Amino acid sequence: MKLTGESKFFIGIIAVTIAIVIGGIFFMSKPEKALEKSELVPAGSQIKGNWDAADYLVEFSDFQCPACGAFYPQVKTLVEDNKDKLAFSYRNFPLDQHPMAVPAALAAEAAGEQGKFWEMHDYIFENQASLSEEMLLSAGEKLDLDKEKYEDAFKNKKFQDKVSKDLSEGQKFGVNATPTFFLNGKKLNPFNFDDLKKSVEEELKN
């Protein structure tokens, strides 16, 4: 059967479409390359648990994010239950729609300068509903920080560069929502905390 020019044209379009679909399937099926630990947890990162453990979990989070607040107590328990087998790092990813996210991150890092990042981290999440600049300032006294040093670091945004670096690196790693977790360098997509817990526990068994 002799093909017309129009038939050849449509057959060509179909062939190209099939090639694109097959190529897309191949691309999507390729395993995502794991990031290096040094990329996800650079020097100066906030770390909890056993840094020398083979397995590590990184969370990019926003202190004002409701979902992050919901995950917080469960993630804290998960890390504490596996503190000898797991390293956990918190990195800041303040979202534009949350006006108190950056101030909260600056407060946590300012407390971290005095060795109390995790105490401030917990305090903020446990009082997320009343998050305000006044609350963050008063938190220094509640956590028994050097008040003058803490307030100076907080008010003068001493750790703005660190917070901004966390945000830009998160974007580079494909973070576009909070909380986002990376387990041993691989980005997770948990629908809920149970999915996250299952992924971590399975990795710890290996």
Side-chain angles (χ1 to χ4, degrees):
M1 182 177 70
K2 189 175 181 180
L3 297 174
T4 65
E6 187 176 354
S7 297
K8 290 179 181 178
F9 176 73
F10 282 115
I11 290 172
I13 291 177
I14 292 170
V16 170
T17 302
I18 292 172
I20 290 173
V21 170
I22 292 173
I25 291 172
F26 174 76
F27 177 78
M28 293 298 290
S29 64
K30 288 174 66 178
E32 187 176 340
K33 182 182 177 183
L35 294 165
E36 295 293 331
K37 189 175 184 179
S38 58
E39 293 180 276
L40 279 168
V41 193
S45 294
Q46 303 296 347
I47 300 161
K48 195 175 188 180
N50 179 9
W51 172 241
D52 295 320
D55 298 303
Y56 65 99
L57 179 68
V58 179
E59 177 184 6
F60 282 85
S61 180
D62 173 319
F63 281 111
Q64 199 177 358
C65 162
C68 298
F71 267 78
Y72 154 70
Q74 301 173 97
V75 172
K76 181 179 180 180
T77 298
L78 177 65
V79 173
E80 289 178 349
D81 287 347
N82 296 283
K83 61 184 178 183
D84 296 327
K85 301 180 289 183
L86 182 70
F88 174 64
S89 178
Y90 180 97
R91 299 194 66 181
N92 299 291
F93 199 83
L95 300 173
D96 290 340
Q97 64 264 37
H98 295 149
M100 289 306 302
V102 169
L106 295 173
E109 296 295 345
E113 185 179 25
Q114 298 186 44
K116 290 194 174 183
F117 172 85
W118 293 106
E119 288 86 346
M120 183 67 79
H121 166 278
D122 294 356
Y123 182 81
I124 293 172
F125 275 124
E126 288 165 10
N127 295 277
Q128 192 183 59
S130 57
L131 184 57
S132 65
E133 186 164 337
E134 292 73 23
M135 183 270 268
L136 294 172
L137 284 169
S138 65
E141 190 171 350
K142 292 181 185 296
L143 297 178
D144 198 27
L145 297 174
D146 179 319
K147 187 173 182 289
E148 185 176 347
K149 184 177 180 180
Y150 167 71
E151 290 186 0
D152 179 68
F154 174 64
K155 291 179 179 178
N156 291 306
K157 302 181 179 180
K158 183 175 181 178
F159 295 95
Q160 181 64 62
D161 286 348
K162 185 176 188 298
V163 173
S164 297
K165 181 182 177 184
D166 278 0
L167 179 62
S168 64
E169 290 191 350
Q171 292 169 336
K172 182 178 74 174
F173 300 149
V175 177
N176 55 19
T178 54
T180 292
F181 297 92
F182 289 82
L183 179 60
N184 293 340
K186 295 182 180 179
K187 186 179 178 182
L188 300 178
N189 295 294
F191 287 104
N192 51 44
F193 174 73
D194 287 340
D195 284 348
L196 173 65
K197 183 180 180 183
K198 182 179 178 182
S199 296
V200 171
E201 291 179 343
E202 286 180 351
E203 200 71 16
L204 291 174
K205 290 177 183 177
N206 296 333

